[in-house]
Amino acid sequence: MNTIVKFAGRERRPVDAGGPHPAGIAADIAITPRSSDGLTEEDAARRLLQDGPNLVARERRLSAPVQFLLAFRNPFIGVLLALAAISSVTDIVLPIRASEAPDYVGVLIILVMVGLSAVLRFWQEFRSARAAEALKAMVGNSATVMRRADDATSGELREIPMAQVVVGDVVYLSAGDMVPADVRLIDSRDLFVSQAALTGEAIPVEKYDALGAVSAKSAEAGVADDSDPLDRPGVCFMGSNVVSGAATALVVATGPRTYFGSLAKAIVGSRAETAFDRGVNSVSWLLIRFMLVMVPIVLLVNGFTKGDWMNAFLFALAVAVGLTPEMLPMIVSSNLAKGAMAMSRRKVVVKRLNAIQNFGAMDVLCTDKTGTLTQDRIILAHHLNLSGGADDRVLELAWLNSRHQSGVKNLMDRAVVDFAGRRPEAVATAAAYRKIDELPFDFVRRRLSIVVEDERGGQRLICKGAVEEMLAICVAVRDGQGTRPLDDAERRRLQLMARGYNADGFRVLVVATRAVPADQARIRYGVEDEADLVVEGFLTFLDPPKETARPAIAALAEHGVTVKVLTGDNAVVTAKICREVGLEPGEPVLGRDIEAMDDAALARLVEERAVFAKLTPMQKSRVLKSLQANGHTVGFLGDGINDAPALRDADVGISVDSGADIAKESADIILLEKSLMVLEEGVIKGRETFGNIIKYLNMTASSNFGNVFSVLVASAFIPFLPMLAIHLLIQNLMYDFSQLALPWDRVDKAFLKTPRKWDARNIGRFMVWMGPTSSIFDITTFAVMWFVFSANSVQVQSLFQSGWFVEGLLSQTLVVHMLRTRRIPFVQSTAALPVLLATALVCALGVYLPFSPVGSMIGLTPLPLAYFPWLVGILLAYCVLTQGVKTLYVRRFGQWF
């Protein structure tokens, strides 16, 4: 079925909109002669109810029961459950078969630890997921569709949420838009679409409708290509985005019935492992490997020295439980979620939780200039003829160009229209013109052309764009009522004139025209028609920097983040803005220079320069990748269509809510407010998050190493177990509780001053240095219990075990305060109140337990009062030595965590 569609005052007969959907999905669409007026609201509502929302398969928030079960899926929980199974056999099944009393306590304690870890992790992740969904709802993509009221005779353009697009909608696409569904082109203009999300091919492809293209290849549009539906030139697919040009299209499939939707079903849930994930996993398996090596050694030493292999096995089992950092997943989830919620209070949407840690690791921030360093309100400052005087004719031409363009009206187009709206008398005669055709803006040509027709039928091409690109297609200049040739001298004069305004901080555009001879007049024009133009004048725009740009850049510099500017604008304006915001521009590098460089030369240059100007989108991405190849963690801040590749490639992509759809979709973090100071807060919050995670890892690794070392020494020289298996399990459970408050701890200011990354070597060094330090005082406690309190025989082993239980628990808990900072704890750096309360509670319970009924049930005995002065002395000596070792460590390696 064919339908007549009107464009720019002319009738054209587009392609047949029926036929099979190119992805192999039938597109049964009722096309009427009024399709160009869009669906009625009633039709749209009925189709939305019938087909469902325009959403593809995605990672939905899991139900609470499923999420609870998934909380058990981590290697540490697996180790504990395996140990619980073994313990149930040795403590319950075998004693029952031997007609002995079973011991349920050990199994119950392990299961309590598993349950505690899983419940806390489930609650934190469930709450985080719910919060993340709410935050993401604050940022959404929209589509421009033609809709009409049920009783209306004509439609009107409306912005609607992308999820409400239905089959049969007429959608309007322009540069920066995401294609909202699978669509068939009705009309297009120099349309280039990136299908990278579908094909992986970075180079945009041209799309065109059958009857609208200029070249012979247009006749192939709409003809099926059985080899690959993505190669069909007359069809655009959901998941792609418009790089340049404009189009009108008919929706033929939505949601899961789209080509992208069929792919999404297969890939949903699969996600690339980030550097953060790899860091956590590598440390996790390091600790598990350490356990697998040390536990057999403990078993063999106790088995051969004590002769009781069953007790030796149970003790080794308890050591294995103690070495398992089962709280790590919960600590990581809590820290990331806490960071995301803190950022949300500053109107920052974190789309990917791991981006918070990458924020803290970032040491280079690349930023676009327009709309990021500068304000989102550009004003038209001058409309000048070539003599430098204000000229209303130049304003009129600029208004015709900006008013009639159908693509994304950028800030400069809005500034022209707004300025003319305040001076309607200056553009009064322009109302007599009607639009014939348009050559949309793109980032290669860097210009936009409109063809208009006056009342007498004369046509004129009006072009507006960047200075260099415009002068390249001009052959003459306006001189009063006449023209004169654009020779080299005149070209240099115009370039100098433009640079003078650039140096004062103005952005400059050239306006040029060409009268179309009557015998060449037509309704369709191409890029090749942008030639032999006459320069009419200049437009200058003032784009003042954001008030928060200077303090934000200074704050980032204080925290070790270097700022580099990557812009498509010219070098002079960029340098001027950089100086105004406190960034020394040096000698800017231009896009054409980068194009001529190999990767090695660019890798050296990106370290030396701060400003890169006149860049294409792919050149921005190339500069960013060179920085990453040099070992930097790179963030990118941008809001435009041309920023999307760099936002995707950055370690942390940052956009703003007012940015282009594709920019927001590509970003990891979205700023809902215009203040740039949230960047500093994001960096600090990322480093706080990483700091509290690394605290737990270092404390756990060093404490585990020290405990195993102490156990080996005691096992080799003492005729009984230094602590029963049940004691180790309870001690580990209480120690885990003391660390639950770590996500709420403060981080030293010195730690926040520089970027932080995963350093497995430092974790290993930390474990080797700090672990044996605690063992010194464990062994001291052994000596005190053995020689001072005569706990040196099997008959009084419970006194020995009680003494080490209390000292071991208190020293382990005290280590939270000693190792959380490189400074002197309680004097120069005090933990947050939740950490103080949790550790104080654990210490109090640990001292009380041997005196309690529960203590006697598990083999502990009350300690004599004379023990406690020794305990205080040992703990004080431990603090002094630990502080000394910290000082030596920092001097030796230049870092703490």
Side-chain angles (χ1 to χ4, degrees):
M1 179 185 294
N2 289 338
T3 177
I4 303 298
V5 185
K6 291 187 178 181
F7 289 97
R10 65 196 186 276
E11 291 187 348
R12 292 188 38 230
R13 188 173 300 275
V15 298
D16 182 1
H21 183 264
I25 306 168
D28 183 16
I29 307 166
I31 308 294
T32 72
R34 295 177 59 183
S35 287
S36 62
D37 293 325
L39 297 173
T40 64
E41 293 295 346
E42 182 182 353
D43 283 342
R46 177 176 52 80
R47 296 185 186 207
L48 185 63
L49 185 65
Q50 174 183 316
D51 297 335
N54 182 33
L55 299 172
V56 299
R58 61 177 64 189
E59 290 187 54
R60 298 177 181 174
R61 185 156 62 93
L62 300 173
S63 64
V66 173
Q67 204 163 351
F68 177 72
L69 292 176
L70 291 177
F72 290 87
R73 191 181 63 181
N74 77 74
F76 303 124
I77 296 291
V79 169
L80 287 179
L81 288 175
L83 296 176
I86 296 171
S87 184
S88 65
V89 173
T90 57
D91 291 355
I92 300 173
V93 176
L94 294 180
I96 289 176
R97 288 185 176 180
S99 300
E100 298 175 0
D103 183 3
Y104 297 98
V105 177
V107 176
L108 287 176
I109 289 177
I110 297 175
L111 292 178
V112 166
M113 294 170 68
V114 169
L116 181 64
S117 176
V119 167
L120 289 173
R121 184 183 180 194
F122 156 72
W123 174 244
Q124 190 60 61
E125 292 187 351
F126 180 77
R127 200 173 60 164
S128 302
R130 195 166 53 185
E133 289 291 326
L135 290 174
K136 287 180 183 178
M138 298 168 70
V139 179
N141 292 326
S142 59
T144 302
V145 303
M146 181 69 76
R147 289 277 177 89
R148 54 192 172 89
D150 296 334
D151 56 351
T153 57
S154 62
E156 61 179 7
L157 291 178
R158 297 183 187 177
E159 288 281 333
I160 64 170
M162 202 174 284
Q164 295 180 15
V165 172
V166 298
V167 172
D169 263 328
V170 175
V171 299
Y172 289 78
L173 303 173
S174 57
D177 286 348
M178 297 187 67
V179 177
D182 285 0
V183 300
R184 197 158 194 171
L185 296 178
I186 300 173
D187 181 71
S188 67
R189 222 52 245 272
D190 298 318
L191 183 67
F192 283 84
V193 173
S194 171
Q195 298 186 149
L198 302 173
T199 65
E201 175 58 57
I203 300 174
V205 295
E206 186 177 8
K207 298 284 186 175
Y208 40 85
D209 63 290
L211 300 179
V214 236
S215 60
K217 64 183 179 182
S218 304
E220 301 170 6
V223 180
D225 180 351
D226 296 330
S227 60
D228 188 350
L230 295 174
D231 291 337
R232 293 190 61 169
V235 179
C236 296
F237 297 89
M238 173 187 269
S240 58
N241 63 278
V242 180
V243 175
S244 64
T248 306
L250 187 69
V251 174
V252 296
T254 59
R257 290 165 294 282
T258 62
Y259 186 89
F260 185 67
S262 64
L263 293 177
K265 290 177 186 176
I267 64 174
V268 68
S270 61
R271 181 172 295 178
E273 192 178 59
T274 66
F276 179 78
D277 296 325
R278 289 192 295 271
V280 172
N281 290 338
S282 64
V283 173
S284 301
W285 287 107
L286 170 68
L287 295 174
I288 289 176
R289 286 195 298 270
F290 176 69
M291 180 195 69
L292 293 176
V293 170
M294 298 307 296
V295 169
I297 296 175
V298 171
L299 172 64
L300 293 174
V301 169
N302 279 288
F304 283 116
T305 57
K306 311 297 182 298
D308 187 344
W309 285 94
M310 178 55 71
N311 278 332
F313 177 77
L314 294 176
F315 185 72
L317 197 66
V319 169
V321 173
L323 289 176
T324 305
E326 64 281 345
M327 290 297 166
L328 180 59
M330 192 281 299
I331 294 287
V332 170
S333 299
S334 297
N335 273 289
L336 293 176
K338 180 176 175 289
M341 294 308 297
M343 295 295 287
S344 72
R345 287 191 288 272
R346 293 307 309 268
K347 299 295 183 69
V348 177
V349 177
V350 180
K351 292 172 58 181
R352 188 170 58 88
L353 278 182
N354 289 355
I356 296 173
Q357 192 273 329
N358 289 335
F359 221 156
M362 178 179 71
D363 59 342
V364 176
L365 174 65
C366 296
T367 176
D368 184 33
K369 178 182 70 67
T370 305
T372 50
L373 293 182
T374 58
Q375 297 181 15
D376 279 344
R377 54 176 189 86
I378 290 180
I379 59 171
L380 176 63
H382 306 97
H383 47 285
L384 308 168
N385 57 34
L386 301 185
S387 299
D391 193 327
D392 285 348
R393 184 172 185 277
V394 175
L395 176 62
E396 182 181 74
L397 293 171
W399 181 83
L400 282 169
N401 180 281
S402 297
R403 171 67 179 80
H404 288 298
Q405 74 125 324
S406 60
V408 175
K409 280 188 168 57
N410 62 36
L411 296 175
M412 286 181 286
D413 287 311
R414 292 172 187 163
V416 170
V417 173
D418 291 344
F419 186 91
R422 295 192 297 272
R423 295 190 54 192
E425 72 283 356
V427 294
T429 59
Y433 290 88
R434 69 186 186 97
K435 177 181 174 182
I436 296 298
D437 203 6
E438 173 182 356
L439 301 175
F441 177 86
D442 64 52
F443 292 97
V444 178
R445 293 166 39 250
R446 295 171 61 82
R447 57 183 178 262
L448 164 73
S449 294
I450 297 290
V451 180
V452 294
E453 185 177 83
D454 60 23
E455 295 172 324
R456 297 185 301 275
Q459 294 185 359
R460 180 175 296 273
L461 184 145
I462 305 171
C463 188
K464 174 178 94 269
V467 175
E468 296 295 335
E469 285 77 359
M470 289 295 295
L471 293 181
I473 58 172
C474 291
V475 295
V477 296
R478 178 67 58 188
D479 184 6
Q481 296 300 313
T483 63
R484 66 174 186 273
L486 175 61
D487 55 23
D488 291 340
E490 184 66 17
R491 188 183 303 273
R492 284 193 297 271
R493 186 183 76 83
L494 296 180
Q495 289 171 335
L496 286 172
M497 188 175 174
R499 285 179 191 146
Y501 283 106
N502 289 158
D504 289 334
F506 293 100
R507 299 187 66 184
V508 181
L509 297 183
V510 168
V511 178
T513 64
R514 178 169 71 86
V516 180
D519 59 343
Q520 296 178 17
R522 54 191 185 278
I523 62 172
R524 195 76 169 186
Y525 288 80
V527 172
E528 63 274 10
D529 293 306
E530 294 177 326
D532 301 332
L533 304 186
V534 176
V535 180
E536 300 286 352
F538 289 110
L539 302 173
T540 70
F541 300 86
L542 187 61
D543 187 11
K546 289 182 177 177
E547 294 178 359
T548 56
R550 177 181 281 269
I553 289 173
L556 289 171
E558 286 180 10
H559 289 88
V561 179
T562 301
V563 176
K564 296 181 183 290
V565 177
L566 279 56
T567 179
D569 206 349
N570 75 67
V572 180
V573 171
T574 304
K576 169 75 172 175
I577 292 295
C578 286
R579 281 188 286 269
E580 289 184 9
V581 299
L583 187 64
E584 180 52 48
E587 183 182 351
V589 181
L590 301 182
R592 63 171 179 266
D593 301 326
I594 291 174
E595 201 65 33
M597 290 181 188
D598 58 23
D599 291 342
L602 183 58
R604 291 190 297 271
L605 190 71
V606 294
E607 298 294 335
E608 302 166 358
R609 305 295 178 85
V611 174
F612 300 80
K614 302 284 282 187
L615 300 182
T616 65
M618 299 315 296
Q619 287 169 346
K620 287 185 180 184
S621 184
R622 189 178 171 208
V623 170
L624 186 145
K625 288 179 178 177
S626 291
L627 287 164
Q628 290 173 323
N630 288 349
H632 295 287
T633 300
V634 185
F636 187 85
L637 171 63
D639 64 346
I641 309 155
N642 56 334
D643 296 322
L647 285 167
R648 252 194 318 267
D649 293 333
D651 293 295
V652 52
I654 310 161
S655 189
V656 294
D657 187 36
S658 58
D661 288 350
I662 185 62
K664 291 187 290 184
E665 190 69 19
S666 302
D668 303 309
I669 292 174
I670 297 176
L671 312 181
L672 299 183
E673 290 186 342
K674 296 179 181 179
S675 173
L676 295 181
M677 291 306 294
V678 293
L679 295 176
E680 179 204 15
E681 295 174 26
V683 166
I684 292 174
K685 188 55 63 180
R687 293 176 190 175
E688 284 179 353
T689 299
F690 180 73
N692 285 328
I693 291 172
I694 210 70
K695 281 178 194 177
Y696 174 81
L697 287 173
N698 282 337
M699 291 172 188
T700 300
S702 60
S703 179
N704 288 351
F705 186 79
N707 282 346
V708 171
F709 192 77
S710 301
V711 164
L712 289 175
V713 171
S715 299
F717 297 103
I718 296 174
F720 48 82
L721 290 174
M723 200 183 293
L724 297 180
I726 187 66
H727 301 159
L728 278 176
L729 292 173
I730 292 175
Q731 189 184 71
N732 191 55
L733 182 63
M734 297 176 73
Y735 176 61
D736 283 342
F737 179 82
S738 73
Q739 293 186 313
L740 292 180
L742 275 179
W744 287 265
D745 193 20
R746 288 185 284 266
V747 178
D748 289 344
K749 290 182 179 179
F751 183 85
L752 303 176
K753 285 294 183 183
T754 55
R756 299 293 172 179
K757 302 180 183 181
W758 287 102
D759 186 355
R761 287 190 308 166
N762 189 57
I763 294 176
R765 285 197 307 257
F766 195 96
M767 179 173 66
V768 172
W769 273 63
M770 302 309 299
T773 304
S774 64
S775 295
I776 293 173
F777 297 95
D778 287 338
I779 295 169
T780 302
T781 303
F782 299 161
V784 168
M785 300 307 298
W786 187 274
F787 294 108
V788 176
F789 297 101
S790 300
N792 49 19
S793 65
V794 176
Q795 290 74 21
V796 288
Q797 64 175 328
S798 62
L799 180 61
F800 183 100
Q801 293 161 350
S802 299
W804 189 35
F805 175 86
V806 173
E807 184 275 335
L809 179 61
L810 266 62
S811 63
Q812 270 191 309
T813 307
L814 188 61
V815 88
V816 172
H817 297 279
M818 295 304 303
L819 301 186
R820 61 168 290 278
T821 174
R822 64 189 290 174
R823 307 170 75 191
I824 301 174
F826 307 112
V827 177
Q828 296 177 325
S829 177
T830 303
L833 183 61
V835 178
L836 289 171
L837 293 176
T839 52
L841 179 61
V842 168
C843 288
L845 288 174
V847 171
Y848 168 72
L849 193 59
F851 299 91
S852 70
V854 175
S856 61
M857 290 172 55
I858 60 175
L860 294 177
T861 189
L863 291 161
L865 292 179
Y867 165 83
F868 291 98
W870 284 99
L871 176 65
V872 172
I874 289 171
L875 293 177
L876 287 175
Y878 172 64
C879 291
V880 171
L881 182 60
T882 301
Q883 190 63 36
V885 173
K886 279 200 298 187
T887 304
L888 289 174
Y889 187 92
V890 172
R891 286 179 181 174
R892 175 77 181 275
F893 301 108
Q895 67 180 108
W896 182 230
F897 288 151

